[in-house]
């Protein structure tokens, strides 16, 4: 007898495929996957090696969250066309899950980096850093817009990019540098939303690659203008020119309760005064 024709007990067959034998018993009861033979005297189920590919197909589809009803329909009339349809459908779903997990991972990394920055920061320091280009979704605002309207605008804008939860993105506000030079330190014109793994750039705000002046502010919002004045003084002293927008975002919302402990990170594109612009 060919070894592959030898019958295996339900326990042996279950162990071979890394499942519980109760699963095989249930599959038999619902008519999804039946044993090669059943001992008429004791009712013991037996299986053979040639059934393994069929069971593995069922287990794969179950792992991909294909419903029992769908699998039963497939098993009643198996074909390459039906199998391809099922796999195409699940691959598309799996790709969405992967993108979601990648986005969550990036968000977690951003939060972790914020905590690293918090633990190591010198709040009085103003420094120069290098940043890569980022694509930001932006919402226009002005001094007269209500908070409710801001929320509506953010909700509508993020819906366009199929953002599942608010924690999957980073949020902040933007002030034109020209407003800072004019002393208008509360002239916020945009809210920005950084959504991980955006697949397009059209219609988005490009935060440029290059050198940025970075500073921090702790405490009440009313104190931010004083911080901006120190930033302008620092830039003048170092012969630096600020450009574009100032990008503000909170770093520690998740670990503080009092506004007095709230820390805002400020980043502004910067270049040396005699540096050429291409």
């Amino acid at each position: 007898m060919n070894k592959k024709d030898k019958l295996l007990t339900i326990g042996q067959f279950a162990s071979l495929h890394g499942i519980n034998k109760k699963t095989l018993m249930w599959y038999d009861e619902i008519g999804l996957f039946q044993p090669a033979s059943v001992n008429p005297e004791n009712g013991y189920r037996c299986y053979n090696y040639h059934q393994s590919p069929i069971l593995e197909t069922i287990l794969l589809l179950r792992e991909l969250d294909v419903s029992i009803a769908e699998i039963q329909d497939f098993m009643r009339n198996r074909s390459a066309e039906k199998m391809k349809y099922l796999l195409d459908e699940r691959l598309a779903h799996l790709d969405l899950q992967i993108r979601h997990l990648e986005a969550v991972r990036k968000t977690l990394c951003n939060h972790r980096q914020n905590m690293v920055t918090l633990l190591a920061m010198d709040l009085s320091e103003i420094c120069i850093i290098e940043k890569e280009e980022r694509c930001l979704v932006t919402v226009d605002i002005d001094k007269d817009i209500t908070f409710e309207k801001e929320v509506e605008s953010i909700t509508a804008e993020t819906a366009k990019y199929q953002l599942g939860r608010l924690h999957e993105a980073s949020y902040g506000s933007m002030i034109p540098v020209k407003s800072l030079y004019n002393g208008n330190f509360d002239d916020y014109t945009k809210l920005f939303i950084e959504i991980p793994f955006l697949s397009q750039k059209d219609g988005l705000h490009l935060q440029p690659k290059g050198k940025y002046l970075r500073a921090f502010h702790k405490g009440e919002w009313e104190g931010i203008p004083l911080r901006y004045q120190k930033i302008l003084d620092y830039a003048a002293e170092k012969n630096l020119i600020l450009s574009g927008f100032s990008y503000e975002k909170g770093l520690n919302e998740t670990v503080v309760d009092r506004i007095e402990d709230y820390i805002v990170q400020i980043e502004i594109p910067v270049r040396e005064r005699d540096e050429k612009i291409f």
Side-chain angles (χ1 to χ4, degrees):
M1 176 186 290
N2 189 319
K3 289 184 178 180
K4 293 183 178 181
D5 292 326
K6 185 177 180 181
L7 292 178
L8 301 172
T9 66
I10 188 171
Q12 291 171 327
F13 198 67
S15 296
L16 179 64
H17 293 277
I19 60 175
N20 192 298
K21 65 181 183 180
K22 289 184 179 179
T23 300
L24 289 174
M25 294 169 67
W26 180 54
Y27 285 171
D28 183 17
E29 290 169 6
I30 64 175
L32 178 61
F33 181 76
Q34 297 174 322
S37 68
V38 178
N39 190 311
E41 296 180 3
N42 53 28
Y44 287 172
R45 298 169 174 87
C46 293
Y47 300 80
N48 63 46
Y49 178 85
H50 299 289
Q51 292 181 282
S52 286
I54 299 173
L55 177 60
E56 281 300 323
T57 299
I58 293 171
L59 296 177
L60 171 63
L61 294 175
R62 289 297 292 148
E63 193 169 341
L64 293 174
D65 291 329
V66 178
S67 69
I68 289 294
E70 287 180 284
I71 298 175
Q72 285 176 319
D73 180 64
F74 167 72
M75 293 300 292
R76 279 192 289 268
N77 188 19
R78 283 181 291 155
S79 70
E81 183 180 7
K82 280 195 170 186
M83 186 64 169
K84 180 181 181 301
Y85 173 80
L86 279 176
L87 294 180
D88 284 346
E89 188 178 50
R90 301 323 295 175
L91 282 170
H93 179 68
L94 192 60
D95 286 340
L96 284 176
Q97 288 182 308
I98 290 171
R99 285 197 294 272
H100 170 70
L101 289 174
E102 287 175 339
V104 170
R105 189 182 192 284
K106 185 172 182 179
T107 300
L108 292 177
C109 287
N110 287 340
H111 284 321
R112 182 183 182 279
Q113 185 56 51
N114 287 346
M115 296 304 105
V116 170
T117 301
L118 282 170
L119 293 171
M121 71 169 49
D122 177 353
L123 287 172
S124 64
E125 182 184 26
I126 298 175
C127 63
I128 306 298
I129 62 167
E130 290 281 344
K131 288 181 68 70
E132 294 298 318
E133 179 183 271
R134 294 192 304 171
C135 291
L136 304 176
V137 177
T138 58
V139 173
D140 292 334
I141 59 170
D142 57 45
K143 296 177 183 177
D144 298 324
I145 192 171
T146 64
F147 175 72
E148 290 76 11
K149 186 63 177 176
E150 287 184 6
V151 171
E152 288 178 12
S153 299
I154 290 173
T155 302
E157 200 62 32
T158 53
K160 296 178 184 178
Y161 301 94
Q162 299 180 329
L163 182 67
R165 299 291 300 275
L166 289 178
H167 68 246
E168 293 174 10
S170 298
Y171 296 81
S173 52
M174 297 163 59
I175 303 178
V177 162
K178 64 181 181 181
S179 296
L180 299 181
Y181 278 125
N182 290 331
N184 299 322
F185 301 125
D186 61 347
D187 187 25
Y188 294 93
T189 61
K190 294 179 184 293
L191 300 177
F192 73 79
I193 311 156
E194 184 184 10
I195 301 175
F197 307 109
L198 281 173
S199 59
Q200 66 181 71
K201 291 187 177 181
D202 294 342
L204 300 180
H205 172 85
L206 291 182
Q207 185 180 6
K209 173 183 178 179
K211 294 180 180 178
Y212 281 69
L213 184 152
R214 174 185 281 177
F216 302 97
H217 167 72
K218 181 178 181 180
E220 302 279 354
W221 299 110
E222 290 78 4
I224 290 183
L226 291 176
R227 192 57 173 157
Y228 272 122
Q229 189 56 61
K230 289 185 178 181
I231 288 171
L232 291 173
D233 293 342
Y234 176 90
E237 179 186 340
K238 299 295 183 181
N239 203 32
L240 300 172
I241 296 177
L242 309 180
S243 64
F245 289 86
S246 171
Y247 300 87
E248 295 182 10
K249 72 172 183 177
L251 290 185
N252 62 341
E253 302 102 317
T254 59
V255 293
V256 297
D257 296 316
R258 305 186 311 154
I259 189 64
E260 294 88 345
D261 299 322
Y262 189 78
I263 296 174
V264 175
Q265 175 181 275
I266 300 169
E267 293 181 340
I268 311 172
V270 67
R271 63 180 175 84
E272 293 182 9
R273 191 169 294 276
D274 57 354
E275 185 179 332
K276 293 182 179 180
I277 302 177
F278 296 94

